[in-house]
Amino acid sequence: MAPWSGFWAGSRPALAGGGGTPVVVKMENPNWSISEIDADDDGGGGGGGEFLAGGRRRRRGKNAKQITWVLLLKAHRAAGASLLMSVFLLSVELAAYANGRGRVLVASVDSFHSSWVRFRATYVAPPLQLLADACVVLFLVQSADRLVQCLGCLYIHLNRIKSKPISSPAAAALPALPDLEDPDDGGYYPMVLVQIPMCNEKEVYQQSIAAVCNLDWPRSNILVQVLDDSDDPITQSLIKDEVEKWRQNGALIVYRHRVLREGYKAGNLKSAMSCSYVKDYEYVAIFDADFQPYPDFLKRTVPHFKDNEELGLVQARWSFVNKDENLLTRLQNINLCFHFEVEQQVNGIFINFFGFNGTAGVWRIKALEDSGGWMERTTVEDMDIAVRAHLNGWKFVFLNDVECQCELPESYEAYRKQQHRWHSGPMQLFRLCLQDIIRSKIAFWKKANLIFLFFLLRKLILPFYSFTLFCIILPMTMFVPEAELPDWVVCYIPALMSFLNILPVPKSFPFIIPYLLFENTMSITKFNAMISGLFQLGSAYEWVVTKKSGRSSEGDLIALAPKELKQQKILELAANKEQSMLKQSSPRNEAKKKYNRIYKKELALSLLLLTAAARSLLLKQGIHFYFLLFQGLSFLLVGLDLIGEDVK
């Protein structure tokens, strides 16, 4: 087991599951809207990462206002003290309860209990009830937004609304050409640049390069850029050799490696777009290293740009090769299917705007340039460019029927780091672009949608009330019964929202209860990330590369290879398999065992919830008891790292 290093200490940056070195990147604080004071002071906050500023570390100053916010926001760690207080109060309640059963108690204990009851009714219950009511209102507003989105999705399905190219049906169908090397023979085949940004992706680089090189597009009209940011020389050599193999077999593919990894993915893409030959291309398709597009991907996406000069982005949905690998991947699949099926599809159909998912999308290069290009100022460069393009009047199309395969994180540590980046980045971006949104020339309702729905409701309010209401207020009402939450807040509305979330994946219906509990468990990570991004705490600029497992089958990888490489691929895979079997049987490898991590915050909340569940027995509140009990057990399982990848 991992050493216990303090109740609320940050967990170590290593990713669960061993194998390979995780990449941790610390991005420089790019908030130019706040004037820094004492710029030579140590910025603190976060450690062990690499500052991306000219390849060297830079210190980040904090003004007095920022430091004040840091001190105020660290107050949420007082939950540890509230845990100890709740245990003490439970002991007092049990003592008073035992006294009522005829046992003899010390008079001072009975007197303290009476004083506490009077004090909590007068001073504790009113503010707690006020906070609870405010969170319930936010909960209802967010639930109404979720319900409207689901109704919009239902309307789309009932009316069979589908994004179609503006061009003629004959051109949209794009029949296969007799000679793909003749782009003028009846089809629409513009110049397309394909980019694969990667960093130490030893597990997945082969299948991603193979999938992209097998895209059904005229060879003369497509160029593949493998943008390698790896700092491991062995990985660099492997990727470079793979690129050379495909080049020798006729693929138009180039390998680019940066010595100074400024801005991580955004900097990588920005550097690639500065190449002189990019001016010869009209569109750019982006695929992360674990994404494997089907051969007809470009044929089903690029035609949407024809005769539609206002269209800047075509986004495809994700599908997952490892969605049934373990409970963690099943729960992630529910979340992401709802995101694509409902959120992205509804926003794409009705308002022509949604957040770019960073991969499996095709951009009009003119739209990127018109919007300022890639910027390294946040950890969500994809959302950043999407918002700026929207403010410049570009429209987006989401294709729910075009899929691109990828992987889900299989360990809780990898998933937690990913979610931290996904929830801190939007708050960084909100601070940076709020004035730009207000000053932009887009319609007022589009500004309102961006500020109140896209950012505030879905990125700030959701993690705030989810954590505060169900993880803090609810257990505290067990010790302050004068403040209460009705049954419909605790049970019925959350159950309805979980049911709506699971509708796009009906086969996952048996997991509805674990899904509800796990989402509340993840609220602590999302809440911390939201606070970190909103107030620019140190961890907001940390980027940990998500660990990949390379779940694509060997048969799929061989099938993607050209004929000249198939035999070589078979030999390579056989050699790799034999080598891995030798490693597994090695005594030295057996001695090197993995260990479970300990997540202190999750464990602390599990104790708080389980203590509150015990208190609810005295109040005879059935629904509250069962919710607190199972939610506490859920936090306990996550806190002991018993969900996700099997760690021995």
Side-chain angles (χ1 to χ4, degrees):
M1 304 292 283
W4 189 279
S5 58
F7 220 79
W8 296 95
S11 58
R12 301 190 300 181
L15 293 178
T21 304
V23 179
V24 182
V25 178
K26 289 287 289 186
M27 301 181 69
E28 183 187 11
N29 182 347
N31 185 10
W32 303 293
S33 63
I34 295 180
S35 55
E36 302 283 351
I37 299 177
D38 298 331
D40 293 333
D41 293 342
D42 190 359
E50 177 184 346
F51 282 93
L52 301 178
R56 56 188 181 146
R57 295 180 181 271
R58 292 183 181 177
R59 295 181 177 179
R60 194 165 63 247
K62 291 180 180 174
N63 58 28
K65 185 176 181 180
Q66 284 179 292
I67 295 174
T68 303
W69 274 116
V70 170
L71 295 176
L72 291 175
L73 293 167
K74 292 299 182 181
H76 79 276
R77 296 187 175 183
S82 67
L83 169 63
L84 299 177
M85 178 62 72
S86 64
V87 174
F88 174 71
L89 294 177
L90 177 62
S91 303
V92 174
E93 294 285 349
L94 289 173
Y97 182 75
N99 186 43
R101 304 280 295 184
R103 299 184 181 182
V104 178
L105 287 176
V106 179
S108 59
V109 173
D110 194 34
S111 175
F112 175 81
H113 178 262
S114 300
S115 301
W116 160 244
V117 170
R118 291 192 298 270
F119 176 81
R120 77 188 185 196
T122 306
Y123 300 105
V124 180
L128 183 61
Q129 186 66 62
L130 182 63
L131 180 60
D133 292 342
C135 287
V136 169
V137 171
L138 297 177
F139 179 33
L140 293 177
V141 172
Q142 195 276 332
S143 300
D145 174 64
R146 184 64 55 90
L147 181 60
V148 169
Q149 287 185 319
C150 290
L151 292 176
C153 184
L154 178 63
Y155 178 83
I156 292 172
H157 280 278
L158 291 179
N159 292 275
R160 298 183 179 180
I161 300 175
K162 187 178 178 181
S163 297
K164 297 180 180 179
I166 295 178
S167 56
S168 64
L174 283 178
L177 294 176
D179 181 9
L180 280 179
E181 296 305 319
D182 183 8
D184 297 326
D185 190 12
Y188 176 62
Y189 293 98
M191 302 291 286
V192 177
L193 181 67
V194 180
Q195 297 177 331
I196 314 176
M198 57 178 64
C199 182
N200 293 339
E201 308 283 4
K202 187 182 294 185
E203 298 82 7
V204 294
Y205 73 92
Q206 283 183 301
Q207 49 260 51
S208 61
I209 294 175
V212 168
C213 288
N214 277 281
L215 287 170
D216 191 8
W217 204 256
R219 288 282 179 95
S220 59
N221 287 26
I222 185 173
L223 172 66
V224 178
Q225 285 183 319
V226 178
L227 311 176
D228 183 23
D229 262 7
S230 302
D231 56 5
D232 176 22
I234 296 177
T235 304
Q236 293 177 27
S237 177
L238 290 172
I239 297 174
K240 197 171 185 178
D241 291 344
E242 185 72 12
V243 170
E244 185 59 32
K245 290 176 186 177
W246 283 98
R247 183 188 293 116
Q248 291 176 0
N249 281 274
L252 197 57
I253 183 171
V254 296
Y255 174 85
R256 282 178 54 86
H257 179 266
R258 297 191 304 159
V259 178
L260 300 178
R261 296 167 50 229
E262 299 179 7
Y264 190 60
K265 183 180 177 181
N268 200 357
L269 294 172
K270 182 179 180 179
S271 173
M273 294 300 292
S274 66
C275 295
S276 59
Y277 54 77
V278 171
K279 67 179 184 298
D280 299 327
Y281 293 84
E282 192 173 354
Y283 307 105
V284 55
I286 302 171
F287 301 99
D288 282 351
D290 59 317
F291 278 73
Q292 303 155 50
Y294 292 102
D296 64 347
F297 181 89
L298 293 179
K299 283 190 172 184
R300 301 181 67 184
T301 54
V302 173
H304 289 265
F305 290 99
K306 187 178 182 182
D307 301 327
N308 191 357
E309 295 299 324
E310 295 181 338
L311 183 60
L313 167 68
V314 175
Q315 172 74 60
R317 71 173 294 163
W318 303 355
S319 59
F320 311 102
V321 296
N322 60 340
K323 61 184 178 182
D324 298 322
E325 189 64 29
N326 54 46
L327 179 60
L328 179 61
T329 59
R330 289 178 184 272
L331 300 180
Q332 291 179 68
N333 182 53
I334 295 172
N335 239 352
L336 288 170
C337 283
F338 181 87
H339 169 69
F340 287 109
E341 185 84 15
V342 179
E343 294 176 341
Q344 298 291 75
Q345 184 173 212
V346 169
N347 290 331
I349 292 292
F350 291 108
I351 61 177
N352 297 121
F353 167 73
F354 46 81
F356 175 45
N357 294 116
T359 177
V362 183
W363 277 94
R364 188 189 297 271
I365 293 180
K366 182 181 177 182
L368 290 176
E369 295 173 346
D370 182 53
S371 305
W374 299 103
M375 292 186 179
E376 308 99 320
R377 56 182 184 172
T378 73
T379 57
V380 284
E381 77 294 325
D382 45 8
M383 185 181 294
D384 187 1
I385 189 64
V387 170
R388 285 185 280 120
H390 181 55
L391 295 180
N392 279 278
W394 293 98
K395 294 182 179 180
F396 302 167
V397 165
F398 176 74
L399 302 179
N400 192 51
D401 57 338
V402 179
E403 297 184 1
C404 189
Q405 287 191 328
C406 63
E407 281 190 24
L408 291 166
E410 296 182 11
S411 70
Y412 177 70
E413 175 69 7
Y415 179 60
R416 191 172 69 93
K417 290 292 186 182
Q418 180 197 72
Q419 291 299 302
H420 186 279
R421 186 175 78 246
W422 286 4
H423 286 81
S424 66
M427 290 296 97
Q428 301 173 37
L429 180 60
F430 180 62
R431 290 179 58 103
L432 293 168
C433 70
L434 178 58
Q435 292 185 356
D436 293 333
I437 295 174
I438 296 173
R439 295 171 182 172
S440 66
K441 297 180 180 180
I442 62 175
F444 175 79
W445 70 269
K446 290 185 178 181
K447 296 181 182 180
N449 172 70
L450 268 178
I451 295 174
F452 297 108
L453 293 181
F454 187 77
F455 280 113
L456 291 181
L457 185 60
R458 297 166 190 165
K459 311 299 182 185
L460 188 150
I461 289 176
L462 176 58
F464 170 77
Y465 87 73
S466 182
F467 171 73
T468 306
L469 185 62
F470 295 108
C471 301
I472 300 298
I473 294 177
L474 177 58
M476 292 310 297
T477 57
M478 296 299 101
F479 302 100
V480 187
E482 293 80 6
E484 59 180 1
L485 288 176
D487 292 345
W488 59 268
V489 173
V490 178
C491 179
Y492 305 127
I493 299 297
L496 175 61
M497 291 300 104
S498 297
F499 177 76
L500 293 177
N501 274 34
I502 217 165
L503 279 179
V505 200
K507 292 183 179 180
S508 299
F509 188 78
F511 299 94
I512 186 170
I513 293 179
Y515 171 75
L516 171 62
L517 296 174
F518 183 69
E519 279 301 291
N520 287 335
T521 304
M522 282 302 301
S523 66
I524 184 173
T525 296
K526 296 176 181 179
F527 176 81
N528 282 336
M530 180 269 292
I531 293 295
S532 177
L534 186 62
F535 298 105
Q536 299 180 299
L537 306 186
S539 60
Y541 299 95
E542 183 180 272
W543 187 315
V544 180
V545 178
T546 305
K547 178 70 176 175
K548 314 294 192 311
S549 59
R551 286 291 177 185
S552 294
S553 66
E554 296 175 0
D556 292 338
L557 188 55
I558 294 174
L560 287 171
K563 293 180 180 179
E564 295 80 0
L565 287 178
K566 279 190 177 181
Q567 189 63 35
Q568 188 176 358
K569 290 287 181 187
I570 294 172
L571 294 175
E572 286 179 0
L573 290 170
N576 291 338
K577 193 171 184 179
E578 182 179 357
Q579 199 172 33
S580 64
M581 291 177 65
L582 289 173
K583 286 182 179 180
Q584 289 177 3
S585 60
S586 171
R588 185 183 301 175
N589 192 65
E590 290 178 0
K592 187 178 179 180
K593 294 183 179 180
K594 301 175 184 177
Y595 57 86
N596 290 50
R597 286 171 171 77
I598 294 294
Y599 298 101
K600 293 89 176 180
K601 299 177 183 179
E602 284 81 354
L603 280 181
L605 283 170
S606 74
L607 294 176
L608 174 62
L609 291 164
L610 291 175
T611 304
R615 177 67 179 94
S616 69
L617 283 177
L618 301 181
L619 299 175
K620 299 181 180 180
Q621 292 181 315
I623 290 179
H624 294 68
F625 166 73
Y626 289 114
F627 181 90
L628 290 166
L629 175 64
F630 290 115
Q631 190 64 70
L633 293 175
S634 175
F635 269 103
L636 182 63
L637 291 174
V638 171
L640 295 176
D641 198 14
L642 298 178
I643 186 173
E645 187 180 61
D646 183 24
V647 182
K648 297 180 181 179

